[in-house]
Structure formats: C-alpha cells, structure tokens
Amino acid sequence: TRGATKDSPVTLRVRSQGREKVVTINREPEAPWRSLEPAWTQSGNVGIINLERIPNVEAFDAALVALHEADGLVLRGIPSFAEELMRRLISQPLPGKITEVPLAFSPDLRETAWVRRRSSSLNPLPGKRYSRPVVVLIDGSLQSSAEGWISALQEVGVIVCVGTPTAGANGSVTFLHLPGGGQVRFTGMKLLHSNGSRFQNIGVIPDVFVEPTIAGVVAGRDEVLEKGVETVKTLIKLRSTVIPK
C-alpha cells in the first residue's frame, strides 16, 4: 500500500482448505524468513549456507571450514561477494558475459545498432577451490547480478540449480526521470547466454524443477530446500560411484 510504513498493521483475508479467516499482521520491509534462517547448518552429509546471512567472503570461508565434514553444499540467497564466491567454485577461467548495448544515431530511433561486448573472464583462486557438489536454490525473486553469477556457473557445469526460473531481468538498469518527480527504470542492454541465446524474460532455468505447495507450507516444510539436499546427495553418490574398466 502506498505510504505504508514498516510495522504498520495490514489486515488479510486468508482462505485455506475451504475455510476462511481474517488475520492482522505488521508489515515487514522484506521477506523475513531468510533472515531468520541460520547462516549455515548441516543436514546429514550436506552443508547448507544462507548467503544472505554471510556478510563477506571471510565469513563464507569460515562456514566452509565449519562444514568440512559435509560432502556437498546447498547455497541459497544473494551474496554480496559474488565474484569471490565464483572464484572459489571454478577450476578454469570463466568466460565473461556477453552483452549488447544499443546505440541510437537519430532522435526518432530509425537509425540504431547494437554493439556486442564480452566482459573479461574470471580466474579461479588457487588453493581456495571448493570441489565438492554444489546446488543453488533459485526462484523468481532472483534478478539482476544474482542471475549473472548463477547462470555463468550453471553454463559451465559447476553448479546444479534447483527451484523455479529466475526473473530474467539482468542487464544494466537505465533510469528515466518523469515530470512530477516520477521515475521509470528499465533494462538498458541485452544480456545473452554464452551461446548467444536470449536471457531477458527467460532467466536461469532450473536443472531440477520444484516449487512450494500449499500443503507443504501448511505443514511447515521447506520443499525447495528438501529437494536441494536430496539433489546434492544424489550428486555425491554419482561422484563416488566407481565404474569398472
């Protein structure tokens, strides 16, 4: 609601299993559940790291040390240190992303062109590589730079994505100020996959599709995380399988 402030009440009508009730809750500036999750934990032989609770790469390294007995990882959330995280997961230089920047040669936009660019590659970090299976949980809330690092690692097979497609909204935000103080923001350039295919409005497609269900939410389950842990365990088994010569 426009003008609503943090902690102000909002009344909701909730319908579940054929029954309806009215509840009043206080507004939060953002989804609170991830901030309530632990920074890291372990489920069996799988480590789970909530990147939104990890403030910097040093804290991430400390979490890896704490989870040294885990045979694989599930990552969730958006890190503030994406590039340093990526360097810890790759063994070969990671190709830079491909972008196409629009150029206009006339005010009426009849004369336009696209200039294709590729950013510089990202090099691995010697002595810091995490070489065990990694699953990243994704959904439509992930956009912009978060999609960039996830798609880059997925394309080279470093991570497996579990969840639902991301927003497909990456590629340099352009601001347009309007009369009366309004503002329009839109994607100002094209971002392409490494094979040159379209990224906008498509996003990162999960390798394993799973989304929360009403029954799961009612039961207090985190079905996406459950599938992520299950997927890591499958990857661990596949990696440990010895194929006879």
Side-chain angles (χ1 to χ4, degrees), residues 72-141:
L73 285 180
V74 173
L75 303 180
R76 163 182 270 169
I78 303 172
S80 59
F81 48 92
E83 187 171 296
E84 289 303 312
L85 169 63
M86 295 167 70
R87 295 185 67 196
R88 282 157 170 75
L89 300 180
I90 57 177
S91 59
Q92 301 292 330
L94 190 67
K97 63 183 179 181
I98 301 174
T99 58
E100 290 188 344
V101 181
L103 295 178
F105 301 102
S106 62
D108 57 8
L109 300 182
R110 291 184 179 180
E111 298 179 38
T112 60
W114 292 88
V115 177
R116 178 168 292 197
R117 299 173 180 172
R118 182 187 284 274
S119 60
S120 26
S121 60
L122 188 67
N123 294 317
L125 191 63
K128 288 283 189 178
R129 185 184 173 227
Y130 185 85
S131 58
R132 301 172 188 178
V134 177
V135 161
V136 176
L137 305 184
I138 64 173
D139 58 32
S141 68

